[in-house]
Amino acid sequence: MWYHRLSHLQSRLQDLLKGGVICQALPQPTFKSLLPLAVRWHHTASKSLTCAWQQHEDHFELKYANTVMRFDYVWLRDHCRSASCYNSKTHQRSLDTASVDLCIKPKTIHLDETTLFFTWPDGHVTKYDLNWLVKNSYEGQKQKVIQPRILWNAEIYQQAQVPSVDCQSFLETKEGLKKFLQNFLLYGIAFVENVPPTREHTEKLAERISLIRETIYGRMWYFTSDFSRGDTAYTKLALDRHTDTTYFQEPCGIQVFHCLKHEGTGGRTLLVDGFYAAQQVLQKAPEEFELLSKVPLKHEYIEDVGECHNHMIGIGPVLNIYPWNKELYLIRYNNYDRAVINTVPYDVIHRWYIAHRTLTIELRRPENEFWVKLKPGRVLFIDNWRVLHGRECFTGYRQLCGCYLTRDDVLNTARLLGLQA
């Protein structure tokens, strides 16, 4: 390796100087990234893990725990956790980032066991635990999944035999709540059984894990086929798979459904794991997956019924991914509410239609459809950023109640219970 050759040359130079030999400057080793001779690797063993680091002109390079990491010097100064730079009680930064010299470089660097010490030109010392750096480095985050998930089609979900949680256990015990949230985070859907079929009990259930998100539909809503709102959902017609509120800048995170009464036939609920379908697209046509994650679209909701007057517009791609690890975190799919496509140039639009068709085919595969009959006493929670829902047409009187939940609060509850979310 080039750095071994560099160390050898530096060692040879020192030997010559010690022996009183006057020599000309040694030729620089040939490699792609030329470094000054003063730069060298420092090797040490730390708790059976080999650690090596090198100070470059514009960044610090660290090899530890099978990870090669690179840190900008401003980043290293900015993230100092000393008492003067970081309030450990509030977990907030005290250092004014704008006060850090953008050309800052450490005066000295040394390693003591598993702690790196950086001494800055003004004498301030920053120390970092090696494991903290691995966890919080860009390279470490690239290998980390933000939220573990189990992708499913109908067969996978049914074979998993994911248990429902009893209402009393959900409301009164941490174990029941944690079990419910663990299932919800893994699969994107979860059920609570034996809930009294009233709006008040459904509301109490929802408030156990989150603040209720009030929207143009209200806080808690009743759902019948009286067409009281300007939406196809308020009819007896079948609804194709979709995610809700795609016309919000931030679509609602979680949806709660509770069928309070149904005097008729039909009306089964359709559930499809959108992330499973997207994964199939990624495997079969990665270029189409990429296109769906980059092309922004408008979704629109226009309502002028009775006293309800609304015009909502949300903009974003169908697939939303974290740029550093390519993890999918949100699918925005609603053919009913997709607005005129005027955000895509002509030379891209046809390729987008092909990609959209590929995703739609996956979403509509019968083996990916999980059908469930909602009934009084059984409450369904849906991750609206992941799982698409629909329904078959029905007859008779059917009444549902439900609400949207604030996603941040659901994830907050999960983290406080020790779950990764």
Side-chain angles (χ1 to χ4, degrees):
M1 297 293 290
W2 62 263
Y3 46 84
H4 293 307
R5 183 179 177 187
L6 177 58
S7 296
H8 172 74
L9 289 171
Q10 291 172 324
S11 178
R12 178 58 178 156
L13 175 59
Q14 291 173 356
D15 291 339
L16 291 172
L17 291 173
K18 288 179 181 178
V21 178
I22 299 175
C23 61
Q24 296 180 345
L26 294 175
Q28 292 186 357
T30 56
F31 44 82
K32 292 183 179 179
S33 300
L34 294 176
L35 295 172
L37 290 178
V39 177
R40 64 186 179 87
W41 281 97
H42 301 259
H43 297 266
T44 186
S46 175
K47 292 184 178 180
S48 301
L49 291 177
T50 300
C51 174
W53 58 269
Q54 190 177 45
Q55 183 177 358
H56 295 267
E57 181 67 21
D58 61 349
H59 71 279
F60 177 74
E61 187 170 359
L62 174 66
K63 293 182 179 182
Y64 183 69
N66 298 317
T67 305
V68 178
M69 298 157 278
R70 296 172 180 83
F71 299 94
D72 180 82
Y73 291 129
V74 177
W75 186 97
L76 288 167
R77 181 64 187 90
D78 180 47
H79 287 81
C80 180
R81 275 358 189 200
S82 67
S84 63
C85 298
Y86 185 77
N87 190 325
S88 59
K89 292 183 178 180
T90 65
H91 303 284
Q92 291 177 302
R93 179 181 284 101
S94 302
L95 174 68
D96 177 15
T97 304
S99 70
V100 179
D101 182 357
L102 294 178
C103 297
I104 195 169
K105 297 174 187 176
K107 190 175 180 180
T108 64
I109 303 173
H110 78 272
L111 176 69
D112 181 10
E113 292 295 328
T114 61
T115 304
L116 270 166
F117 294 84
F118 296 85
T119 302
W120 304 102
D122 62 357
H124 185 84
V125 177
T126 295
K127 61 180 181 179
Y128 287 112
D129 180 80
L130 292 176
N131 290 318
W132 189 94
L133 287 174
V134 172
K135 178 182 177 182
N136 291 285
S137 67
Y138 172 76
E139 292 80 5
Q141 286 293 311
K142 281 181 68 175
Q143 303 172 34
K144 182 182 177 182
V145 174
I146 299 298
Q147 185 179 319
R149 297 180 174 91
I150 297 176
L151 307 186
W152 52 270
N153 57 18
E155 182 181 8
I156 292 172
Y157 185 80
Q158 289 169 335
Q159 288 184 351
Q161 297 183 334
V162 183
S164 299
V165 175
D166 180 75
C167 177
Q168 185 175 357
S169 175
F170 178 90
L171 290 174
E172 299 178 4
T173 71
K174 285 187 177 180
E175 293 76 15
L177 181 61
K178 185 174 182 179
K179 178 182 176 182
F180 167 86
L181 284 170
Q182 189 169 40
N183 292 336
F184 179 79
L185 292 173
L186 288 175
Y187 294 96
I189 57 174
F191 296 89
V192 179
E193 303 282 358
N194 303 316
V195 182
T198 67
R199 169 181 169 175
E200 291 72 24
H201 284 90
T202 308
E203 183 176 5
K204 183 179 179 181
L205 204 70
E207 290 177 329
R208 171 69 164 143
I209 61 171
S210 170
L211 295 174
I212 293 175
R213 179 174 175 178
E214 188 163 359
T215 68
I216 57 175
Y217 302 105
R219 189 169 182 274
M220 294 290 298
W221 38 258
Y222 279 105
F223 205 84
T224 65
S225 56
D226 59 359
F227 202 68
S228 59
R229 302 298 299 263
D231 194 296
T232 311
Y234 289 77
T235 70
K236 296 181 180 181
L237 300 175
L239 290 174
D240 193 18
R241 62 226 71 201
H242 64 280
T243 58
D244 272 13
T245 60
T246 52
Y247 39 79
F248 287 4
Q249 281 296 85
E250 181 183 310
C252 292
I254 288 86
Q255 186 165 23
V256 181
F257 282 121
H258 189 185
C259 181
L260 304 179
K261 182 185 294 186
H262 184 197
E263 300 169 345
T265 61
R268 289 183 305 161
T269 295
L270 167 64
L271 300 169
V272 178
D273 187 354
F275 286 10
Y276 178 88
Q279 181 68 20
Q280 302 304 306
V281 176
L282 178 61
Q283 293 175 355
K284 299 174 182 178
E287 70 287 348
E288 295 179 10
F289 180 97
E290 183 178 12
L291 193 64
L292 291 172
S293 70
K294 289 185 175 180
V295 174
L297 299 174
K298 293 179 182 178
H299 288 78
E300 189 173 33
Y301 179 76
I302 302 174
E303 180 180 31
D304 189 12
V305 176
E307 297 181 357
C308 300
H309 308 284
N310 295 290
H311 189 176
M312 311 291 292
I313 297 177
I315 303 173
V318 174
L319 303 178
N320 297 258
I321 61 175
Y322 296 124
W324 61 90
N325 66 354
K326 308 303 180 185
E327 180 180 346
L328 179 63
Y329 68 88
L330 164 65
I331 181 170
R332 217 186 258 259
Y333 186 97
N334 191 318
N335 206 52
Y336 298 104
D337 296 325
R338 181 163 45 78
V340 174
I341 303 179
N342 53 19
T343 55
V344 185
Y346 81 96
D347 57 339
V348 176
I349 188 63
H350 193 75
R351 289 191 292 116
W352 182 89
Y353 275 118
I354 293 173
H356 183 268
R357 182 68 54 84
T358 300
L359 175 61
T360 300
I361 290 172
E362 295 298 331
L363 290 169
R364 291 181 178 177
R365 290 190 186 280
E367 60 267 30
N368 293 340
E369 299 178 344
F370 177 56
W371 291 90
V372 60
K373 178 71 173 179
L374 298 181
K375 58 183 181 180
R378 190 184 196 196
V379 177
L380 168 63
F381 289 72
I382 303 174
D383 184 345
N384 186 57
W385 283 21
R386 170 183 173 180
V387 176
L388 286 70
H389 66 279
R391 69 153 188 250
E392 65 181 357
C393 61
F394 64 93
T395 65
Y397 180 78
R398 183 174 183 258
Q399 185 185 59
L400 276 73
C401 79
C403 59
Y404 294 115
L405 302 183
T406 306
R407 185 178 190 83
D408 287 336
D409 291 299
V410 174
L411 298 181
N412 175 53
T413 302
R415 294 186 193 110
L416 292 176
L417 289 171
L419 298 172
Q420 184 177 342

